[in-house]
């Protein structure tokens, strides 16, 4: 009998849909935005002291570009990189400027431990709907083509497949066929991850993991036609990315 010992994995944490406001104490659907985020961050620090970096997959602020300064104030003291991409409640230009340096910053491409993570912008000005502009698809194609030996996680804000929650699925990535048209040409894609739906989601497509993480604030009830608040507490998703391409993941929620 032989046993296989996997080398140490890359440890990554995904937080999403913070909806932070410029002033502390705001609520969304009755849920305290700051309290949810603080509880999630405390749990991450407690359970994942060896995390390599975090991903923040959009809706970092709630329609207030001034809130990026608070985002930095809250996340910088964690002392590990937080790589950010925008959602439909963000301001991509203001976000890029506010998060241009330091631990908390907008990023497009991370390479570490035999993996690459590609961060796409699925937001589109003036609409909450998801769309991957030609430049985003071209970036994806280029990075997949030039890193054939890197196991790959593709990160974006909007869901590229139906979440079975019809009011949210009206906003899913509209040109998802073009997106998967690129992915399907590369066998080294291991996962696609997103936020936006404020709920946990997992599925598989052609051997690729399709994963969403719960929000750090309000949770939305899945599989209902109209918006409904779920009574689940805030949470996050953790990943262990092994050099051989093995991906382990799970969702952790804080107390209610
Ligand atoms: Fe959101």
């Amino acid at each position: 009998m032989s046993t296989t010992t996997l080398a140490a994995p890359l440890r990554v944490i995904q937080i999403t849909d913070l909806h932070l406001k410029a002033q502390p104490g705001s609520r969304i659907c009755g849920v305290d935005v700051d309290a949810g985020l603080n509880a999630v961050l405390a749990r991450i620090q407690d359970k994942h002291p060896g995390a390599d970096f975090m991903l923040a997959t959009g809706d970092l602020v709630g329609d207030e570009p001034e809130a990026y300064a608070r985002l930095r104030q809250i996340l910088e003291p964690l002392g590990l990189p937080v790589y950010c991409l925008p959602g439909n409640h963000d301001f991509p230009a203001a976000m890029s400027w506010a998060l241009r340096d330091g631990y908390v910053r907008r990023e497009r491409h991370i390479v570490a431990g035999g993996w690459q993570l590609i961060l796409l912008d699925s937001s589109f000005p003036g609409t909450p709907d998801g769309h991957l502009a030609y430049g985003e698809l071209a970036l994806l194609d280029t990075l997949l083509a030039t890193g054939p030996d890197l196991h790959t996680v593709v990160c974006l804000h909007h869901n590229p497949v139906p979440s079975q929650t019809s009011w949210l699925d009206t906003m899913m990535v509209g040109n998802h066929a073009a997106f998967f048209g690129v992915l399907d040409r590369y066998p080294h894609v291991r996962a696609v991850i997103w936020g936006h739906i404020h709920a946990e989601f997992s599925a598989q497509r052609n051997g690729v993991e399709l994963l969403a993480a719960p929000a750090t604030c309000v949770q939305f009830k899945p599989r209902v036609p109209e918006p409904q608040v779920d009574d689940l507490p805030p949470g996050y998703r953790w990943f262990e990315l092994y050099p051989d391409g093995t991906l382990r993941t799970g969702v952790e929620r804080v107390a209610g």
Side-chain angles (χ1 to χ4, degrees), residues 57-241:
T57 50
D59 284 1
L60 308 185
V61 302
D63 305 297
E64 293 182 358
E66 302 82 8
Y68 289 118
R70 279 195 70 225
L71 183 79
R72 290 193 67 146
Q73 286 174 3
I74 293 169
L75 296 182
E76 284 282 336
L78 297 176
L80 79 168
V82 184
Y83 299 120
C84 301
L85 62 82
N88 51 296
H89 289 278
D90 282 302
F91 302 83
M95 176 179 159
S96 294
W97 176 247
L99 308 181
R100 64 190 178 277
D101 54 20
Y103 277 127
V104 185
R105 60 180 187 265
R106 186 171 183 193
E107 193 58 80
R108 306 306 303 263
H109 189 214
I110 304 146
V111 177
W115 287 73
Q116 67 175 343
L117 296 94
I118 302 172
L119 283 66
L120 301 178
D121 179 1
S122 62
S123 70
F124 206 76
T127 173
D129 297 353
H131 178 81
L132 289 164
Y134 175 77
E136 298 300 307
L137 295 176
L139 175 69
L140 176 65
D141 201 1
T142 299
L143 293 174
L144 287 170
T146 55
D149 300 325
L150 296 170
H151 310 294
T152 301
V153 177
V154 180
C155 316
L156 71 170
H157 179 68
H158 293 80
N159 49 312
V161 296
S163 67
Q164 312 304 328
T165 305
S166 52
W167 69 274
L168 280 166
D169 289 344
T170 62
M171 292 179 267
M172 68 178 276
V173 175
N175 57 339
H176 51 87
F179 174 65
F180 285 113
V182 175
L183 292 193
D184 287 347
R185 292 193 283 112
Y186 297 99
H188 52 298
V189 179
R190 299 283 174 261
V192 181
I193 72 171
W194 60 86
H196 186 60
I197 62 173
H198 292 224
E200 182 180 355
F201 177 91
S202 65
Q204 276 207 346
R205 179 186 179 281
N206 293 347
V208 176
E209 302 284 348
L210 306 175
L211 302 163
T216 65
C217 59
V218 65
Q219 310 299 302
F220 293 144
K221 196 167 281 187
R223 295 177 291 280
V224 293
E226 303 287 339
Q228 281 187 43
V229 173
D230 205 330
D231 57 8
L232 288 170
Y236 62 92
R237 181 176 283 281
W238 57 265
F239 294 91
E240 291 179 354
L241 307 177

